[in-house]
Amino acid sequence: MTLAAESPTGTNVTDAPVVQVSGAWKLHKLGDEVVKALVEADLTVLPGEFVCLMGPSGSGKSTLLNIIGGLDRPTKGTVVINGTDTATLTESQFAALRHDTVGFIFQSYNLIPFLSAVENVELPLMFEPYDRQALRRRALKLLELVGLGHRVDHSPTKMSGGEQQRTAIARSLISNPKLILADEPTANLDHRTGATVVRLLRDLCSNLGVTVVASTHDPTVAEEASRVVRMKDGAIE
């Protein structure tokens, strides 16, 4: 199998929502107490939007992101990703949808320390039957896209926090996702570096048609987002 020669993320934009969350609840039982991590959440995200989830710790931002990305399931309610009702999917089918449609960016970067930047970017597809040379070309192109063409052979231990996060962004794009989920993407960065990362996420939306949903406490992220969704006590305000 070879990788398509199109732009790294594609630009097929339609009016159909990439994310449609309806009446989603997430309940946890702690002893005799029921904790409401998410309360009747409704969220629609259209192609090319940069949506920022804001709220204090415990407001439900990460829970909502995890449910959208299939890292968790709602107690009740529906989650439709790119036209697919995820409630109808088995775990393996959901994993396949996640692999093909969703890219993840974490505040702790989650890079492999003994791999180079380009190998970290290749990692999601490294054990699949893709043409190795095409995969390497795409990984290099993505590192150029995020401004790291000069750091392709460096390991994460030899990179700054901002460079590590930009490597993680490049990695999140390797599978041509329609949706990027970013959990506190600037939390471990200084203000200037965080602003650079946020502008990069904004440019992915405006130039490549990628949809981004990010959770954050950082007002810099909100300033660059196309829409801010505020959360409190598990509910969308």
Side-chain angles (χ1 to χ4, degrees):
M1 186 184 299
T2 59
L3 290 166
E6 62 188 36
S7 66
T9 57
T11 56
N12 295 324
V13 177
T14 66
D15 292 330
V18 177
V19 176
Q20 183 79 61
V21 179
S22 302
W25 289 71
K26 185 62 183 180
L27 308 178
H28 299 288
K29 192 168 185 180
L30 295 177
D32 295 329
E33 182 183 1
V34 175
V35 177
K36 299 175 181 178
L38 198 64
V39 179
E40 203 167 358
D42 296 311
L43 180 67
T44 299
V45 184
L46 298 176
E49 276 198 289
F50 181 0
V51 175
C52 173
L53 305 178
M54 289 201 77
S57 296
S59 61
K61 305 186 303 296
S62 294
T63 299
L64 181 55
L65 273 189
N66 289 341
I67 284 175
I68 293 171
L71 302 180
D72 202 355
R73 297 271 193 157
T75 304
K76 62 179 178 178
T78 61
V79 179
V80 178
I81 303 298
N82 201 35
T84 299
D85 184 349
T86 60
T88 67
L89 303 179
T90 64
E91 290 301 326
S92 60
Q93 289 172 330
F94 206 154
L97 175 69
R98 192 163 53 237
H99 178 277
D100 294 339
T101 307
V102 184
F104 292 91
I105 301 168
F106 304 95
Q107 69 180 71
S108 56
Y109 320 133
N110 286 13
L111 300 176
I112 306 301
F114 54 83
L115 296 181
S116 66
V118 69
E119 290 168 337
N120 268 286
V121 174
E122 292 174 333
L123 190 59
L125 301 181
M126 192 173 286
F127 301 104
E128 299 192 14
Y130 289 110
D131 178 88
R132 311 312 298 177
Q133 292 182 338
L135 179 58
R136 176 55 58 93
R137 287 195 298 271
R138 171 159 299 188
L140 291 172
K141 186 174 183 179
L142 288 169
L143 285 169
E144 288 281 355
L145 179 70
V146 300
L148 290 178
H150 62 300
R151 303 288 272 171
V152 298
D153 294 322
H154 287 70
S155 68
T157 58
K158 297 179 180 178
M159 302 168 75
S160 69
E163 289 172 334
Q164 290 183 64
Q165 192 62 296
R166 282 186 282 158
T167 300
I169 292 172
R171 180 187 59 192
S172 75
L173 295 168
I174 193 68
S175 297
N176 287 334
K178 290 180 170 56
L179 172 66
I180 298 291
L181 301 178
D183 192 8
E184 298 284 359
T186 64
N188 292 328
L189 305 176
D190 61 69
H191 178 76
R192 182 176 179 179
T193 305
T196 299
V197 167
V198 174
R199 285 193 295 270
L200 177 57
L201 292 174
R202 178 202 62 195
D203 291 345
L204 292 176
C205 298
S206 58
N207 298 335
L208 298 177
V210 180
T211 303
V212 175
V213 181
S215 70
T216 189
H217 292 86
D218 186 351
T220 304
V221 181
E223 289 170 4
E224 297 290 352
S226 55
R227 180 157 55 102
V228 176
V229 175
R230 300 193 180 276
M231 301 190 68
K232 182 179 180 181
D233 298 329
I236 292 176
E237 293 189 304

